[in-house]
Amino acid sequence: MTTTQKEGLSMNESLKSVTDWLNAHKQQTVMIRKQELEDTDQTRITLEDVEYKPSTPTIDEYTEGDSLILHGSGAVVNEQGDIPLPQSTYQIYVDGLKYADVQEQQLSMETERAKYEIFIQS
């Protein structure tokens, strides 16, 4: 089943489609390609769980924003080789989710901070 979520749908519907896709791919290895400004990072994670974390203001009223926490073992992938994640989590900030394109084997989304491509590793 292929579903496309575009700007016409509410952020809640787009976020739900992203969360549903991630939950459907638990126990699988996914590759996350994140493009932020001129920097592109790649992270591979074996997805064990997905958690939605709402924004919580701090003492100085700075908020990190709503995010999805992907739980599982993984590594940052670069030219020097794989560098294990310091914690078994990967955080995706979803504040300002502009769109999400959810397909069977991959997910593309853009937030105010970055663009993400997440796809199943075979």
Side-chain angles (χ1 to χ4, degrees):
M1 180 171 76
T2 300
T3 308
T4 302
Q5 302 286 326
K6 293 289 182 191
E7 291 180 51
L9 296 176
S10 74
M11 182 173 140
N12 290 342
E13 291 173 6
S14 293
L15 185 57
K16 182 179 181 336
S17 69
V18 168
T19 305
D20 288 349
W21 187 90
L22 290 166
N23 280 314
H25 292 92
K26 286 182 186 176
Q27 309 311 318
Q28 292 181 299
T29 300
V30 296
M31 179 67 81
I32 303 164
R33 184 176 298 127
K34 173 186 170 187
Q35 182 180 351
E36 189 171 17
L37 302 174
E38 300 299 315
D39 188 33
T40 301
D41 298 321
Q42 290 193 107
T43 303
R44 183 177 44 249
I45 188 167
T46 301
L47 195 55
E48 294 171 9
D49 200 13
V50 180
E51 171 189 0
Y52 173 75
K53 181 180 174 193
S55 177
T56 25
T58 59
I59 295 170
D60 61 2
E61 296 183 12
Y62 173 79
T63 59
E64 287 191 326
D66 296 353
S67 61
L68 292 175
I69 310 293
L70 309 185
H71 295 271
S73 58
V76 175
V77 179
N78 65 27
E79 297 80 30
Q80 291 79 37
D82 292 2
I83 302 166
L85 292 175
Q87 300 174 342
S88 293
T89 59
Y90 183 88
Q91 187 167 19
I92 299 174
Y93 290 101
V94 293
D95 265 0
L97 182 61
K98 295 178 181 180
Y99 79 88
D101 182 14
V102 180
Q103 299 182 21
E104 189 174 320
Q105 293 294 309
Q106 75 176 34
L107 158 68
S108 300
M109 60 189 261
E110 183 176 350
T111 68
E112 290 178 351
R113 295 181 183 212
K115 292 180 183 178
Y116 295 89
E117 290 180 350
I118 305 172
F119 47 93
I120 304 302
Q121 289 272 250
S122 47

